[in-house]
Amino acid sequence: MIHLALQEKLQQAVLALLPDTDVSSVLVRPCPEPKFGDYQTNALIGLAKRNELNPREFAAQVVEQLDIDDCCEPVEIAGPGFLNFRLRIEALSAALAGAAKGEHLFYRTAVKPRTVVIDYSSPNVAKPMHVGHIRSTILGYALAKVFRLLGHKVVTDNHIGDWGTQFGKLLVGWKEHLNKEALGRDALAEMERLYKLVNAACDEDETVLALAREELVKLQDGDAENLAIWREMIDLSRHQFDEIYGRLGVKFDETLGESFYNDRLKGVVDELIDQGIAEESEGAQVVFFNDHKALKKHPAIVQKSDGAANYTTTDLATLEHRQTTWRPSEVIYVTDGRQQLHFQQLFALYDRWKPGHGMKLNHVWFGAILGEDGRPFKTRSGEIIRLSGLLDEAEQRAYDAVSKKNPDLPEEERHDIARVVGLGAIKYADLSGNRQSDYVFNWDTMLALVGNTAPYLLYAFTRIRSIFRKLGGESLDRPESFALGQAEEQVLAKHLLRFGHVLELVVEECRPNYLCNYLYELAGHFGSFYESCPVLQAEGDTRAQRLALCNLTGQVLQTGLETLGLETTDRM
Ligand code: ARG
């Protein structure tokens, strides 16, 4: 891919001048201002300063060494020592011709594939999944797909919350207040009702609280009846989670819940004590981070005073299991921003427990979903919004829109389209913003046919498909070269060439919104191209080349959308 080729040559040129330099930060980026060039590097400035060289002179020496005449116009040195690169039409043409032949789709798989564990979704048993879990599910799944597209080995693990103190109350509720019929109708709703009921009772009545504790201890000690009920709660919950995953088309390689690590927890705490990492404080086992700036005031508890392990202990055991089982170079956790402190503690603790473990530990956090009023997204009566109802509404709204626009399409096809567009809209709204910002949930914005939305991109794709429908059975040429005589063709071609670069940036920073923006711009460039360059009416080589441009745009759009976890449709 061109930016990688440029980057490699640039790094070689630097090495020729400064043989022992670490050139890993000598990177090539898209030029922010197209009028200055297509790609740019600012890395030489810092490098020159660190070596006490004059940046502009150093840049000039690097340019001397650079052997890129085959793909670039003469390189320009700008400002304090930037290099601006402008691609030659011949290089663009060659890249397009290779893609038209199916040799590549503007990205290259990693030379050194990495193993990455991604922990996402991870809802809690006996509680309905809510909109917060959708963000983790959608973001995590999209990230997994981008890593995979670039050839990395990915293990996805759904760390379900299937253990913890809530089961004491749930067991009391199950034994005393269970409504079997309601359970059959909506198991998670019934379990939630039981939990709330007993939770309220505990606040009022000490004896209920004592009973809940007793049931919890029995469960932890392996009481057969309690274990059976607990298993049933897990089965029912997982069944309902799976229904949602099925609708979203989301999959996992592993679903190792918290309970999977129960047998290891005591050993973890013992090791932490033996190694002098945890110490007793008011009956609990606690880890202090005295020499850690951010965590100085936030010690982590790894065993409560009643002897029970907690979320942190479980996560330590989980991470140990991941390290020994898959030997990943990176572990990614996708949760909301309120868990930042937990993961800072976890990572600092793991560094002390397993020094030199060598894994990059990455908390990929996201902001809240807000209602129109700017407050956490709730129903009118203040209830948490259920995921399944939300998906239903998305499909219904998309169905109404499609039916209005295309009343003549067969009913079944309208339903299919509505599913693709409705679910796509929800997913895309989650993916397209900066994940760390809160976002306001708004049906009209996410379902709009204009702007950076799923319907807009899906529609752009259908427009390309319709060009090829008009072609009928005519077979597509694979042009050997592209003239790119019109400015709009060049802009589109250059944008296509950036696909791989964007995928790399997504992986580097775990930000799928880069890919969304890229696809949005691609659709825009395609629109301008299609408006000013006749395709089907063109003749000869021009027609073949433009059709190939349409086809490549369609392929990149489709691959991009599918990598984000969206389906596409041929008609809308
Ligand atoms: N079950 C947790 C929750 O719903 C998320 C778990 C995230 N993963 C982890 N390894 N801690 O908040």
Side-chain angles (χ1 to χ4, degrees):
M1 304 300 96
I2 282 192
H3 74 280
L4 290 176
L6 271 179
Q7 202 159 281
E8 275 154 26
K9 294 214 167 152
L10 184 64
Q11 294 178 349
Q12 282 163 14
V14 170
L15 281 174
L17 292 166
L18 301 170
D20 295 321
T21 316
D22 172 12
V23 289
S24 60
S25 63
V26 177
L27 302 177
V28 167
R29 295 282 183 231
C31 200
E33 280 280 351
K35 65 172 188 266
F36 296 134
D38 301 319
Y39 292 94
Q40 184 178 72
T41 183
N42 60 9
L44 302 184
I45 304 170
L47 205 59
K49 285 190 182 148
R50 259 171 277 134
N51 287 281
E52 293 175 3
L53 300 168
N54 174 314
R56 273 197 77 104
E57 278 168 24
F58 179 59
Q61 285 168 355
V62 171
V63 171
E64 279 287 282
Q65 294 286 332
L66 259 181
D67 171 23
I68 52 173
D69 292 348
D70 54 336
C71 62
C72 288
E73 305 286 350
V75 180
E76 259 170 48
I77 303 169
F82 293 99
L83 296 190
N84 288 332
F85 306 94
R86 195 180 295 281
L87 298 179
R88 281 177 180 281
I89 297 288
E90 293 81 357
L92 278 174
S93 164
L96 292 171
K101 273 187 224 143
E103 287 166 4
H104 63 79
L105 193 62
F106 309 107
Y107 64 89
R108 175 165 102 184
T109 50
V111 183
K112 289 189 201 130
R114 290 183 276 143
T115 299
V116 185
V117 175
I118 309 185
D119 173 324
Y120 61 90
S121 196
S122 309
N124 301 315
V125 161
K127 284 192 200 159
M129 263 202 247
H130 56 75
V131 285
H133 288 117
I134 195 182
R135 265 204 120 166
S136 170
T137 309
I138 307 274
L139 276 165
Y141 189 56
L143 286 174
K145 293 194 88 161
V146 183
F147 273 92
R148 284 197 173 121
L149 189 69
L150 290 184
H152 299 291
K153 180 174 184 288
V154 178
V155 180
T156 57
D157 187 8
N158 191 0
H159 189 71
I160 289 191
D162 63 0
W163 196 252
T165 49
Q166 75 270 29
F167 285 101
K169 290 172 183 171
L170 280 163
L171 281 162
V172 174
W174 188 282
K175 288 182 181 180
E176 295 184 0
H177 308 283
L178 183 65
N179 176 340
K180 281 237 162 83
E181 198 218 338
L183 191 75
R185 234 182 302 123
D186 184 346
L188 287 174
E190 173 62 3
M191 287 188 270
E192 192 190 25
R193 184 187 72 84
L194 293 177
Y195 180 81
K196 283 187 178 161
L197 192 80
V198 178
N199 197 35
C202 285
D203 288 344
E204 267 160 34
D205 188 344
E206 288 272 317
T207 57
V208 184
L209 190 63
L211 192 63
R213 288 218 181 96
E214 226 171 83
E215 294 293 357
L216 183 66
V217 171
K218 271 167 71 186
L219 174 70
Q220 287 165 340
D221 291 345
D223 173 82
E225 187 192 4
N226 282 9
L227 270 179
I229 297 174
W230 168 71
R231 284 211 183 92
E232 192 172 350
M233 289 194 242
I234 293 181
D235 284 348
L236 290 167
S237 304
R238 284 195 54 174
H239 186 74
Q240 240 164 307
F241 297 155
D242 286 343
E243 242 173 63
I244 295 203
Y245 297 141
R247 283 181 78 176
L248 292 174
V250 167
K251 296 195 185 79
F252 301 89
D253 301 310
E254 305 284 345
T255 300
L256 301 177
E258 293 181 16
S259 66
F260 178 80
Y261 303 97
N262 281 352
D263 294 345
R264 177 66 183 124
L265 300 182
K266 199 174 167 318
V268 171
V269 176
D270 287 346
E271 279 183 33
L272 293 175
I273 297 170
D274 285 350
Q275 295 177 21
I277 298 170
E279 57 192 85
E280 202 198 303
S281 171
E282 295 169 40
Q285 288 298 332
V286 181
V287 177
F288 292 94
F289 304 96
N290 291 328
D291 41 10
H292 191 298
K293 224 169 153 196
L295 293 177
K296 216 182 209 155
K297 293 203 178 87
H298 302 284
I301 297 176
V302 289
Q303 183 180 296
K304 295 188 276 187
S305 51
D306 65 4
N310 63 11
Y311 191 48
T312 306
T313 333
T314 312
D315 255 331
L316 285 168
T318 306
L319 190 46
E320 178 191 48
H321 177 80
R322 289 173 178 167
Q323 185 185 358
T324 50
T325 311
W326 299 299
R327 306 246 157 240
S329 59
E330 181 168 358
V331 183
I332 292 171
Y333 298 82
V334 189
T335 82
D336 78 55
R338 287 172 304 180
Q339 297 201 28
Q340 285 179 82
L341 179 61
H342 166 71
F343 284 105
Q344 281 172 19
Q345 290 177 329
L346 176 68
F347 299 166
L349 229 167
Y350 201 77
D351 288 346
R352 274 166 74 181
W353 182 31
K354 314 260 178 182
H357 58 75
M359 296 180 292
K360 176 177 174 194
L361 303 176
N362 193 356
H363 182 211
V364 170
W365 60 271
F366 52 83
I369 304 184
L370 305 176
E372 291 304 336
D373 54 3
R375 314 253 291 273
F377 191 40
K378 299 258 169 79
T379 61
R380 267 193 216 111
S381 53
E383 297 271 307
I384 281 179
I385 292 188
R386 303 281 164 81
L387 205 45
S388 55
L390 200 74
L391 301 184
D392 291 341
E393 185 165 352
E395 288 189 33
Q396 184 60 47
R397 282 175 182 261
Y399 178 79
D400 294 342
V402 175
S403 301
K404 212 165 135 196
K405 197 161 165 284
N406 270 327
D408 301 331
L409 284 180
E411 164 97 14
E412 205 186 320
E413 191 174 348
R414 274 184 279 146
H415 273 295
D416 281 343
I417 296 173
R419 187 176 48 79
V420 173
V421 175
L423 300 183
I426 290 217
K427 292 178 185 178
Y428 196 81
D430 258 319
L431 292 165
S432 55
N434 171 352
R435 62 176 156 78
Q436 286 165 340
S437 318
D438 295 345
Y439 95 86
V440 176
F441 192 95
N442 181 301
W443 287 115
D444 295 332
T445 321
M446 70 175 76
L447 284 165
L449 263 173
V450 288
N452 189 5
T453 66
Y456 172 76
L457 291 177
L458 291 168
Y459 184 65
F461 179 68
T462 62
R463 275 179 64 191
I464 298 177
R465 301 299 294 173
S466 82
I467 300 171
F468 290 95
R469 266 201 303 280
K470 284 184 200 134
L471 271 186
E474 183 186 328
S475 69
L476 209 62
D477 279 338
R478 293 156 187 257
E480 291 294 330
S481 69
F482 289 72
L484 305 174
Q486 295 255 29
E488 290 83 1
E489 290 176 297
Q490 280 184 32
V491 172
L492 178 61
K494 284 178 181 175
H495 200 74
L496 286 170
L497 256 64
R498 285 187 184 172
F499 186 42
H501 198 189
V502 167
L503 295 172
E504 284 160 29
L505 291 179
V506 172
V507 154
E508 234 165 73
E509 297 182 30
C510 291
R511 292 188 186 276
N513 62 313
Y514 293 167
L515 178 54
C516 298
N517 291 341
Y518 169 85
L519 296 175
Y520 176 55
E521 287 171 15
L522 179 65
H525 292 320
F526 180 79
S528 316
F529 154 79
Y530 198 60
E531 226 164 79
S532 46
C533 305
V535 176
L536 291 172
Q537 280 77 35
E539 281 170 10
D541 286 350
T542 307
R543 184 171 185 271
Q545 290 166 11
R546 288 183 179 164
L547 274 172
L549 274 177
C550 294
N551 191 30
L552 291 172
T553 305
Q555 284 181 44
V556 170
L557 259 180
Q558 185 166 31
T559 307
L561 287 169
E562 285 178 358
T563 305
L564 290 169
L566 274 73
E567 282 180 70
T568 52
T569 167
D570 278 359
R571 246 193 281 252
M572 240 171 101

